[in-house]
Amino acid sequence: MASRLGATINKILDLCRAHSQGLPQKVLDEELQEVEVEIIKQSLNVLLQKQKLQVFMQGESIVYREQDTEAAAKFKGLTSEDMLVYQAIQQAANTGIWTADLKKRTNLQQLQVNKALKNLESRSLVKPVKTVANKNRKVYMLFELDPSREVTGGAWYTEQDYDAEFVDVVKQQCLHFILKQGLASLEDVAESVRKSGITQVELRLEEFKQILDTLVLDGDIEEVVGGAPSSSHAPVSFETVCYRASRSRIPETSALTSVPCGICPVLRECRPDGLISPQTCIYFKDWLTF
Amino acid sequence: MATQFGRKLACELIFSHFGESVQKVCKSLVYHGQLSLPEIAHYTKMSTTQIHNSLLVLVQHSCVQAFKVEHDGIGSAPPRVLMLYIALTDNILHCMRFPKFLVLVKEDVGDQVSAEALVEGLLEHGRLTLEQLIQRAAARAGKAEGEVATVVKDCFHRLLANHYIERCPVPEPSLCPNIAVEPAKKTACGAEVSDLAPGSISEEQRIMSAAAPTDAERFQAPVSLISMGGTHTEMGDSNHPVGQKRKREALQIDAKTAAAAAAMDEKEVLWHVNYEEFVRRLRHQACVAFVRSRIDAMAGTVLEGMLDATCRHKTSVKQHSSVPMSIEVIMDSVRNLQLGQGMTVERLQVGLQQLVSDSAGYVSRIGEQGGLAEGSQYVVHLHKIIELLRQNEVEGIVLQRYGQECCRIFRLLGLNGQLEQKQIGERAMVPKDVRELLYRLLKDHYVQVQEVAKTTERVASKSIHLWCVDNQAVLHQVLDDIYHAASNLSQRLAHELEKEQQIHVPNANLTNSQQEQVKRIQSIMTVLEASLLKLDNAMLLFHDF
């Protein structure tokens, strides 16, 4: 019996080595037709426990692959629950996975999940990372991975906190450049800010686009399609978006808001014979004292 | 118009101009729509003579229009004719703008004091006949009527040529009853807003169009002026001698009847101010100022020329686009302006090019032939300029009331339709406070939120909330706020004046403190009245333009 087990194990390993891309369940069944299902099951379990085999889902079918010894050493001594947790975390890749999601995915009890996590952490296989979305929430990801932008918030977040001043500084710099140039494309702006060296943080083009979009929304600059060719780059095509100073800015004073009623927070409650009325309004009193 | 505070403001204006009993009648008409005499009596509980007099005053000043409605007889009863009255709130609100109208007349018709005085008389009295105008001018100047008659008639003719004054509408037009009158619906804040399908005209407009004489008649000069043939006529100077001769012959033949007709014309035809024309001119001024600040002064002058040229072909006040004009027409018109006299063809073309290429798209070129703009014509889309102006104003208000970040969010939603809260936070770069800012805007009805359920059972925590900006609602809200502010200003002014009544009586020996008070009240009055005039500009922009 034991020899039969041993023989099956060896056969499976041979098959795995033969199919280095992965041994599909179908092929395994074909080759081991003469062996009983019970023995196949047992041999698979032994191999899994010894970390010699890895199971994957490829589409709808199961695929087996041999695991090299290094990886086997890493996982030595880990229980199957630990492995399950590890695999779930591995799947989450850059984004990381939250403990509650982990519980759902692995269908394990909270206690088991916690134990597994502690185990993995002590072996430096996974690490917890704080997210910006929810300061109290921690996500787990593989130790060697860098957390993605969404988790740390990108360049605008320093230490999990939205750095409004930094954003402001970059904004002012961009605006200054555009106003000086008259007409500039996204790359021009990005380069000028990088050259000025006001910040060590590496800012990507998308982040510059974010800043410029905000400036457009503020009404300081506007988008123009197909601008003039810039000096440092090749001539700009007609579809490129360029930016220039806005011609109609949002007015800073208007007729309505130069009167106290325009900025009054309780305008909706103001009635001639009510608690708040134009005759007794304190804002009016302040406005009319010279 | 249908805003809550607009009606309030109208009633207050009537009170300050005409007194309490007129205000009561006006109030009942403004708040209850069309009423007949017994219904007015029921609401105001005043005697019939009082109501009569008040209505006379209101009709005189074109604030109320009377009209007859004929109901078919039921069974054997004869057809009934009901006399109804409707308040013209737009005209009532024009009271605030009289100073602006006078300035406009002064600038346009020249520095003639009498032109301004004529319009002033018409504004003061509502409507007058030519004879009464002459009498008034004579009384003011302290001269005999014969002396001032020619000057007055001259000014009158000039004003008529520019369409600033017109014949009064028919006093009692007949209308068939509007069977499917939609009931006024109440909105959440208790204001009555009558819901109209977008394409249909309101009751007010229907009645006014029935009452108004045709365009040809409106500006038809009285017979006496045409037959005068004295200083100048509407016909060109070249036709002058020929026309004059012909008219003289006709007169000689029919001297008596013509003279009688002329006299009757002077005595009986009533004239009043044509508000539409004034509003149109103010609108053109606003458009030109906008273009001037957006592009440059020359483009502004070109636009002014184009708009002037369209004056000859106007159809309605709120027209969206002008008629197409060729370059020659524009050139002539620009050369007539004070600022456009040094205009060359090249500069004009440059200006036109700038206007056409502006991304807002309010001037477009049609019918281009062979690449050059030689045979092409230009159209001005006024409604686009007005839309831009309104949008600008609303964004300015949001900026000043709620701060820069709220303004960013408002603009983002205006440009991008419906968005979720998280997306708004990311794109406007306000990830933390976005919720609070959105709620602040929601409270004052600047944005709206729509809940989209994810599952079939509506679980609030699981549904997506989409935020958007409804432009119509925002404009309505802003207009209401403007009326509210104006109403508050006028009430405060009345209140301050009431408080200081006792000071104004003894003028001779004023103590220092009393002089201080007089100075204070004067500066308060200046501030309040100046703010009212400025606010009135905003009112015109959002409602009348």
Side-chain angles (χ1 to χ4, degrees):
Chain A
M1 190 58 178
S3 63
R4 285 265 300 275
L5 197 57
T8 329
I9 288 174
N10 282 335
K11 194 139 181 226
I12 294 175
L13 279 176
D14 285 337
L15 282 169
C16 278
R17 276 187 210 119
H19 297 259
S20 54
Q21 293 300 319
L23 177 70
Q25 177 78 42
K26 253 185 8 191
V27 177
L28 186 70
D29 284 337
E30 272 174 27
E31 296 287 329
L32 297 173
Q33 246 174 14
E34 63 276 10
V35 186
E36 290 153 17
V37 180
E38 189 57 43
I39 303 207
I40 298 182
K41 223 169 47 170
Q42 274 185 2
S43 46
L44 281 173
N45 273 335
V46 166
L47 282 171
L48 278 170
Q49 234 174 8
K50 287 212 184 138
Q51 302 298 338
K52 287 263 174 67
L53 203 65
Q54 250 185 344
V55 184
F56 293 102
M57 288 290 288
Q58 197 173 54
E60 296 238 331
S61 56
I62 303 179
V63 169
Y64 300 95
R65 205 159 71 174
E66 196 191 353
Q67 204 158 3
D68 50 5
T69 37
E70 268 181 31
K74 215 164 53 164
F75 301 133
K76 196 163 160 188
L78 286 180
T79 64
S80 54
E81 286 146 6
D82 294 339
M83 278 313 296
L84 206 54
V85 168
Y86 182 79
Q87 272 181 351
I89 293 178
Q90 195 178 38
Q91 265 178 354
N94 247 354
T95 342
I97 185 168
W98 186 31
T99 45
D101 290 334
L102 206 55
K103 202 169 80 164
K104 249 191 288 178
R105 198 81 76 83
T106 58
N107 279 328
L108 292 172
Q109 297 292 334
Q110 179 73 32
L111 211 54
Q112 289 172 316
V113 169
N114 285 348
K115 214 166 59 160
L117 280 173
K118 238 192 346 206
N119 243 346
L120 292 168
E121 244 180 289
S122 60
R123 283 160 168 259
S124 307
L125 289 169
V126 295
K127 65 178 178 194
V129 171
K130 273 209 290 188
T131 57
V132 270
N134 195 339
K135 282 236 191 71
N136 302 326
R137 206 187 275 199
K138 283 205 290 227
V139 292
Y140 287 91
M141 61 180 67
L142 294 184
F143 197 75
E144 51 272 8
L145 293 175
D146 274 326
S148 69
R149 289 301 237 203
E150 334 172 318
V151 175
T152 57
W156 310 127
Y157 285 80
T158 44
E159 294 159 30
Q160 312 298 317
D161 227 343
Y162 183 66
D163 198 349
E165 287 164 14
F166 176 53
V167 173
D168 216 24
V169 165
V170 178
K171 251 173 82 168
Q172 287 306 315
Q173 189 74 15
C174 293
L175 183 61
H176 216 67
F177 178 71
I178 293 177
L179 291 179
K180 208 168 65 161
Q181 286 282 84
L183 190 71
S185 72
L186 182 58
E187 288 89 13
D188 293 336
V189 177
E191 211 176 283
S192 91
V193 172
R194 283 200 201 112
K195 265 196 251 173
S196 71
I198 49 168
T199 169
Q200 301 298 326
V201 178
E202 179 69 34
L203 291 168
R204 300 173 304 177
L205 267 186
E206 296 146 15
E207 285 157 346
F208 276 111
K209 181 99 185 20
Q210 260 190 321
I211 295 273
L212 289 179
D213 280 342
T214 320
L215 282 171
V216 169
L217 284 178
D218 273 338
D220 289 329
I221 60 178
E222 58 181 16
E223 289 184 3
V224 171
V225 179
S230 63
S231 51
S232 48
H233 301 270
V236 157
S237 71
F238 274 117
E239 277 84 46
T240 320
V241 174
C242 295
Y243 298 90
R244 66 159 176 217
S246 167
R247 276 169 309 178
S248 311
R249 311 199 48 150
I250 305 180
E252 304 240 314
T253 51
S254 81
L256 182 57
T257 49
S258 25
V259 187
C261 301
I263 39 181
C264 178
V266 284
L267 181 62
R268 303 291 146 93
E269 282 99 36
C270 179
R271 300 254 173 280
D273 44 1
L275 196 59
I276 304 169
S277 76
Q279 285 86 357
T280 56
C281 178
I282 48 173
Y283 297 118
F284 262 123
K285 200 161 90 149
D286 288 336
W287 186 53
L288 292 174
T289 34
F290 307 109
Chain B
M1 103 245 56
T3 60
Q4 180 193 14
F5 276 101
R7 297 178 205 191
K8 211 157 172 305
L9 186 62
C11 294
E12 275 167 32
L13 280 169
I14 296 281
F15 177 67
S16 57
H17 278 109
F18 302 123
E20 199 178 323
S21 42
V22 181
Q23 191 219 15
K24 271 203 206 155
V25 172
C26 183
K27 214 167 167 174
S28 62
L29 281 172
V30 162
Y31 281 103
H32 299 279
Q34 319 165 5
L35 295 174
S36 64
L37 202 55
E39 285 170 346
I40 301 179
H42 166 70
Y43 280 116
T44 58
K45 311 210 184 329
M46 293 182 350
S47 71
T48 326
T49 26
Q50 273 183 316
I51 300 179
H52 239 237
N53 290 338
S54 308
L55 278 174
L56 277 174
V57 171
L58 287 169
V59 170
Q60 163 99 3
H61 282 85
S62 312
C63 301
V64 159
Q65 175 71 32
F67 61 100
K68 284 191 280 218
V69 174
E70 207 172 285
H71 287 275
D72 293 328
I74 312 169
S76 60
R80 299 181 300 140
V81 174
L82 262 188
M83 192 69 177
L84 293 176
Y85 301 89
I86 187 167
L88 304 169
T89 30
D90 283 348
N91 286 359
I92 301 179
L93 288 175
H94 282 308
C95 284
M96 289 184 66
R97 298 162 195 151
F98 288 169
K100 291 199 185 131
F101 294 166
L102 289 173
V103 169
L104 208 61
V105 166
K106 194 160 142 186
E107 284 172 3
D108 215 26
V109 187
D111 249 343
Q112 293 237 356
V113 179
S114 17
E116 206 185 322
L118 268 184
V119 176
E120 199 187 331
L122 282 175
L123 290 174
E124 215 180 323
H125 293 275
R127 50 184 75 179
L128 293 172
T129 61
L130 189 51
E131 196 187 357
Q132 288 170 321
L133 278 171
I134 300 176
Q135 281 173 351
R136 185 172 175 273
R140 284 193 148 203
K143 299 185 192 160
E145 275 190 36
E147 286 176 35
V148 285
T150 30
V151 179
V152 168
K153 286 189 185 176
D154 180 46
C155 287
F156 187 86
H157 217 106
R158 196 107 57 87
L159 288 170
L160 193 61
N162 280 319
H163 291 217
Y164 283 124
I165 50 185
E166 60 173 3
R167 289 183 185 234
C168 289
V170 174
E172 293 169 10
S174 252
L175 276 178
C176 46
N178 195 4
I179 305 168
V181 172
E182 308 197 26
K185 293 186 190 154
K186 282 204 157 77
T187 60
C189 36
E192 285 192 13
V193 176
S194 53
D195 226 351
L196 295 163
S200 65
I201 21 176
S202 65
E203 271 296 300
E204 222 177 281
Q205 283 169 323
R206 212 168 62 97
I207 295 165
M208 284 316 290
S209 51
T214 60
D215 260 358
E217 288 175 8
R218 265 165 91 185
F219 305 109
Q220 196 181 42
V223 178
S224 59
L225 284 183
I226 302 177
S227 59
M228 206 167 83
T231 42
H232 63 93
T233 60
E234 271 193 279
M235 305 178 267
D237 276 323
S238 49
N239 291 335
H240 193 106
V242 179
Q244 203 178 1
K245 255 206 179 135
R246 240 187 250 139
K247 282 255 152 36
R248 283 234 176 96
E249 285 167 6
L251 273 182
Q252 276 165 6
I253 296 171
D254 225 351
K256 264 200 182 161
T257 43
M264 194 183 74
D265 227 11
E266 277 195 32
K267 280 209 175 81
E268 302 210 344
V269 175
L270 283 168
W271 301 86
H272 74 168
V273 166
N274 179 12
Y275 293 121
E276 274 184 24
E277 181 62 28
F278 282 104
V279 170
R280 181 201 308 278
R281 302 275 170 145
L282 286 172
R283 182 159 72 134
H284 288 188
Q285 273 185 351
C287 292
V288 170
F290 174 69
V291 167
R292 204 160 264 156
S293 68
R294 193 171 159 103
I295 308 181
D296 65 16
M298 194 185 66
T301 322
V302 171
L303 188 74
E304 204 180 336
M306 290 170 85
L307 290 174
D308 263 354
T310 68
C311 269
R312 312 289 156 227
H313 307 273
K314 51 207 163 189
T315 45
S316 81
V317 173
K318 285 209 174 181
Q319 60 183 150
H320 278 198
S321 314
S322 65
V323 289
M325 297 166 274
S326 65
I327 279 205
E328 294 84 29
V329 172
I330 301 176
M331 192 62 177
D332 286 333
S333 175
V334 169
R335 287 234 171 95
N336 276 337
L337 294 172
Q338 206 180 12
L339 293 168
Q341 278 171 2
M343 186 65 72
T344 59
V345 179
E346 294 84 38
R347 279 172 66 190
L348 181 68
Q349 292 206 338
V350 165
L352 280 171
Q353 186 58 35
Q354 279 177 321
L355 285 172
V356 169
S357 56
D358 191 337
S359 55
Y362 43 79
V363 173
S364 56
R365 182 193 293 148
I366 55 175
E368 211 169 302
Q369 293 171 3
L372 283 174
E374 286 286 329
S376 51
Q377 303 196 310
Y378 296 85
V379 182
V380 180
H381 300 286
L382 287 159
H383 67 287
K384 288 223 171 120
I385 307 186
I386 300 294
E387 250 172 57
L388 272 177
L389 276 170
R390 284 183 185 166
Q391 190 66 22
N392 228 8
E393 192 72 21
V394 170
E395 285 168 7
I397 292 176
V398 172
L399 175 67
Q400 287 146 53
R401 273 188 96 152
Y402 304 107
Q404 198 188 36
E405 275 138 14
C406 264
C407 183
R408 235 186 274 163
I409 294 178
F410 184 73
R411 273 177 68 114
L412 175 66
L413 284 173
L415 292 169
N416 290 71
Q418 295 183 320
L419 289 175
E420 258 193 296
Q421 178 186 315
K422 194 157 153 242
Q423 291 169 308
I424 298 174
E426 280 168 18
R427 285 165 90 164
M429 297 194 82
V430 272
K432 289 219 180 137
D433 311 315
V434 60
R435 180 176 288 199
E436 194 193 311
L437 297 170
L438 278 171
Y439 283 157
R440 248 197 270 168
L441 286 173
L442 181 66
K443 179 165 161 256
D444 287 331
H445 308 292
Y446 282 96
V447 297
Q448 273 153 17
V449 64
Q450 193 182 22
E451 205 175 315
V452 175
K454 274 198 209 175
T455 58
T456 42
E457 303 102 38
R458 195 185 140 274
V459 180
S461 57
K462 289 228 162 92
S463 40
I464 310 176
H465 294 255
L466 291 171
W467 299 82
C468 67
V469 163
D470 179 2
N471 268 324
Q472 286 302 321
V474 170
L475 288 175
H476 189 95
Q477 183 63 54
V478 169
L479 188 60
D480 203 35
D481 282 344
I482 293 176
Y483 285 135
H484 194 159
S487 155
N488 281 358
L489 281 175
S490 56
Q491 280 186 13
R492 183 72 184 207
L493 184 58
H495 176 71
E496 295 280 343
L497 286 176
E498 247 181 70
K499 270 192 339 193
E500 311 287 336
Q501 273 305 331
Q502 48 270 40
I503 311 291
H504 287 248
V505 179
N507 218 354
N509 32 354
L510 286 170
T511 61
N512 247 358
S513 65
Q514 283 178 328
Q515 275 187 341
E516 291 286 314
Q517 274 181 306
V518 168
K519 256 195 251 166
R520 183 179 154 267
I521 193 79
Q522 276 178 344
S523 33
I524 288 181
M525 273 179 65
T526 333
V527 166
L528 285 173
E529 281 172 5
S531 307
L532 264 176
L533 278 177
K534 253 181 85 175
L535 212 56
D536 183 54
N537 280 340
M539 254 195 257
L540 279 170
L541 174 64
F542 281 99
H543 179 68
D544 294 286
F545 281 174

